[in-house]
Amino acid sequence: MKAFELVNPTDVSGAVSALTAAGREGKLLAGGIDLLSEMKEYIATPSIVVNLKAVSGLNKIESSAKGLKIGALVTLSDIAKHPTIAAKYTALAEAAESVASPQIRHVGTLGGNLCQRPRCWYYRDEHVICLKKGGSKCYAIEGENEYHAILGGGPSYIVHPSDCAPALMVLGASVDISGPKGNRTVSLDKFFILPTENLYKENVLEVGEIVTHITVPAPAAGTTSHYLKIRHKESMDWALSGAAVALTAKAGKVTSAKVVLSGVAPVPWRSPEAEKALIGKQVTTAIADRAGAAAVAKAKPLGGNAYKVPLTRNVVRLAVLHAAGVKG
Amino acid sequence: MSMDDRDQHDPNEPDVSRRQFLRGLSGSLAASAVLATGVEAVPLSPPSPPEPLEPPLAVGPRIKGQVKVRLNVNGQVKTATVEPRTTLLNTLRDDLGLTGAKRICDRGSCGGCTVIADGETIYSCMMLAVDAQGKKITTVEGLGTPEAMSPLQAAFVDHDALMCGFCTPGFVMSCTSLLKHNPDPTETEVKEACAGNICRCGTYPRIFEAVLAAAKRMRGE
């Protein structure tokens, strides 16, 4: 790890000024699981690290009739064991519980989970100057690509590593951002950006901007949600494919459906096709399968990841059935 | 992979301080004066007092270079001189002589460095030493000794729950924390508690057995 100066602001405005002053030389440290990994591999070599841990007011979960307000520093284990989140915002609790290992969930934060960098092995290799690091080539296209994108890929084929983002998106969450130009709130639907928009980052954050809170509206009556994640190594791994599903039903019929996939695209991948297959319908095994087929209809696998197409179809089918409480 | 030459010294910080360098230089100048004149050189002024060697405490708005951390480890307050980039694991092993936590992957994947911080397991390789200040850290050395093992450590021995033993301290810490939170775990719960620890020898079944047996013994059954 390259040596750095550690800045310890005590409030958000201090953190924003320190990060803004540091410019491209600065990185923000929350739980540190992702940043320290990048720094140990010399993928990130900041000379200034702004430590968010001493900033007050960012480590609380506030639950009210309006919904949830979660500080960016709240750990994944605190989210997973929060009784209200488990009961009413089920997909989020399940997603937080599915991240990595207990040791990582005790330290890793929700803000960090949303802002972590991709896990592509070419990107993470210090000696490979890939497209995302200013090179001219995405090595996944012709290289080892079994963990890469089948949807939304090009010119880079990374997959977004967050489990919590798809769950938060189906629950209609947004993020509060503080930055040098003031505060703004961005819907999570618009927070993540494709490589076609910007190769060098995965979200809309500008230099000096910090995610401070995540807000989730209270789900409408009759809403159920579920996050299903399939891993290579069941004990601890990123998603090969995952699906967050939220369904609102009235008189047995789906009035609102949200489906967001993990592990298959450079951003948490919203599937309006799958949602369309569910709205107005009563969830049956046939309807759930139709939603799964719709979710992968536009998939374009690379040489080594075609298995993700039937896998994702089935992940969506099972997640829909589980969210609807229908036996598959 | 885990040891990188660049980790050892800050390339921006010289290994030898300017004062040490000048001291060395004046010595060799004096020696060459002796050679040149055959007369012993007499120092012109008495040596200046040494600079304070104590680095500043690792607290405050900005921390850089060598700093002193104060860590609460196994019930004792210990100090060590580190840099902001130094991990808790390296401080435990290299500065405090506590080598129970193992440096294996150094990337938060294997669990060999697991310690308990404020009652929860963490990977000590993925936490900066400066950020571990103020937390109550327990390492495997804080659980028992070879003569007086904790019930869980004794169960690992009784059930032959290790082969090479390198991952064992990490598993012991994860399972110690589990039994503290949940004195009567199911086998599934034991597996979940061990999800962040890897044993290349594959002793998992014996580890799970040992934990369930220790739990039973600790409940007085």
Side-chain angles (χ1 to χ4, degrees), chain A residues 38-114:
Chain A
E38 283 220 318
M39 289 169 68
K40 287 179 182 201
E41 300 290 349
Y42 289 80
I43 307 300
T45 52
S47 54
I48 292 176
V49 172
V50 179
N51 195 354
L52 209 52
K53 284 192 203 74
V55 172
S56 55
L58 300 186
N59 59 358
K60 281 189 300 233
I61 301 175
E62 292 166 63
S63 173
S64 72
K66 285 199 305 191
L68 293 173
K69 186 173 183 181
I70 307 174
L73 289 182
V74 170
T75 62
L76 299 169
S77 61
D78 282 344
I79 291 170
K81 69 182 181 208
H82 194 277
T84 309
I85 297 181
K88 282 177 71 182
Y89 307 85
T90 315
L92 176 58
E94 291 168 331
E97 180 69 29
S98 80
V99 176
S101 63
Q103 290 95 322
I104 286 177
R105 293 193 295 274
H106 290 146
V107 174
T109 64
L110 184 58
N113 187 267
L114 297 179

Side-chain angles (χ1 to χ4, degrees), chain A residues 121-122 137-146 148 302-305:
Chain A
W121 42 37
Y122 296 110
K137 201 170 170 183
C138 173
Y139 290 90
I141 298 171
E142 289 168 10
E144 301 290 335
N145 51 32
E146 55 260 52
H148 290 79
L302 300 162
N305 65 3

Side-chain angles (χ1 to χ4, degrees), chain A residues 101-223:
Chain A
S101 63
Q103 290 95 322
I104 286 177
R105 293 193 295 274
H106 290 146
V107 174
T109 64
L110 184 58
N113 187 267
L114 297 179
C115 299
Q116 63 183 314
R117 305 303 312 277
R119 284 278 158 184
C120 167
W121 42 37
Y122 296 110
Y123 169 76
R124 291 273 167 171
D125 186 328
E126 179 194 355
H127 302 291
V128 176
I129 307 302
C130 74
L131 204 52
K132 280 192 74 66
K133 293 187 285 191
S136 59
K137 201 170 170 183
C138 173
Y139 290 90
I141 298 171
E142 289 168 10
E144 301 290 335
N145 51 32
E146 55 260 52
Y147 299 130
H148 290 79
I150 56 168
L151 286 161
S156 149
Y157 286 82
I158 58 152
V159 295
H160 199 279
S162 176
D163 292 303
C164 295
L168 285 165
M169 281 165 70
V170 299
L171 296 168
S174 52
V175 288
D176 295 340
I177 297 169
S178 286
K181 292 179 193 154
N183 300 333
R184 58 178 176 144
T185 298
V186 177
S187 155
L188 262 194
D189 268 336
K190 301 216 162 94
F191 180 70
F192 299 101
I193 53 176
L194 282 167
T196 45
E197 194 171 329
N198 191 322
L199 269 175
Y200 309 113
K201 59 181 190 176
E202 295 78 43
N203 57 55
V204 299
L205 290 178
E206 300 288 348
V207 171
E209 284 193 319
I210 297 172
V211 170
T212 59
H213 295 91
I214 295 92
T215 51
V216 194
T223 301

Side-chain angles (χ1 to χ4, degrees), chain B:
Chain B
M1 180 193 72
S2 62
M3 285 297 274
D4 190 312
D5 287 345
R6 293 168 299 185
D7 291 350
Q8 304 309 306
H9 295 290
D10 179 348
N12 303 314
E13 300 278 340
D15 294 336
V16 181
S17 74
R18 180 170 296 150
R19 183 171 298 274
Q20 282 172 309
F21 176 73
L22 290 175
R23 273 197 196 124
L25 197 65
S26 64
S28 53
L29 284 175
S32 46
V34 172
L35 286 176
T37 61
V39 179
E40 198 177 331
V42 179
L44 295 174
S45 57
S48 50
E51 277 179 3
L53 292 172
E54 194 78 343
L57 281 176
V59 289
R62 299 187 91 95
I63 300 171
K64 195 184 177 185
Q66 298 223 317
V67 285
K68 200 162 144 186
V69 283
R70 218 184 280 251
L71 297 172
N72 183 334
V73 185
N74 300 331
Q76 289 180 309
V77 175
K78 304 200 172 197
T79 56
T81 300
V82 302
E83 291 181 49
R85 62 177 164 168
T86 312
T87 60
L88 172 60
L89 174 63
N90 285 358
T91 309
L92 292 171
R93 291 181 58 83
D94 303 342
D95 297 296
L96 304 183
L98 296 168
T99 54
K102 298 289 182 277
R103 180 169 158 148
I104 308 173
C105 76
D106 201 29
R107 297 294 185 279
S109 298
C110 74
C113 70
T114 303
V115 300
I116 297 175
D118 286 344
E120 301 285 9
T121 53
I122 64 158
Y123 292 139
S124 59
C125 74
M126 299 305 285
M127 181 172 284
L128 299 176
V130 295
D131 272 341
Q133 297 182 104
K135 295 184 190 297
K136 280 189 179 155
I137 313 287
T138 305
T139 70
V140 74
E141 290 91 343
L143 300 183
T145 62
E147 295 74 33
M149 287 184 278
S150 76
L152 182 66
Q153 288 172 316
F156 266 64
V157 175
D158 291 345
H159 290 262
D160 210 2
L162 54 141
M163 281 178 73
C164 83
F166 216 63
C167 70
T168 310
F171 272 95
V172 168
M173 295 317 287
S174 286
C175 298
T176 297
S177 177
L178 167 73
L179 296 183
K180 197 136 204 180
H181 291 107
N182 179 0
D184 190 8
T186 62
E187 188 172 306
T188 306
E189 287 167 336
V190 176
K191 288 179 181 173
E192 283 166 1
C194 294
N197 295 77
I198 292 173
C199 170
R200 260 197 92 170
C201 306
T203 52
Y204 300 103
R206 302 246 175 122
I207 292 173
F208 304 150
E209 257 174 46
V211 177
L212 293 171
K216 210 168 167 182
R217 212 179 129 200
M218 289 161 75
R219 292 194 306 270
E221 289 171 24

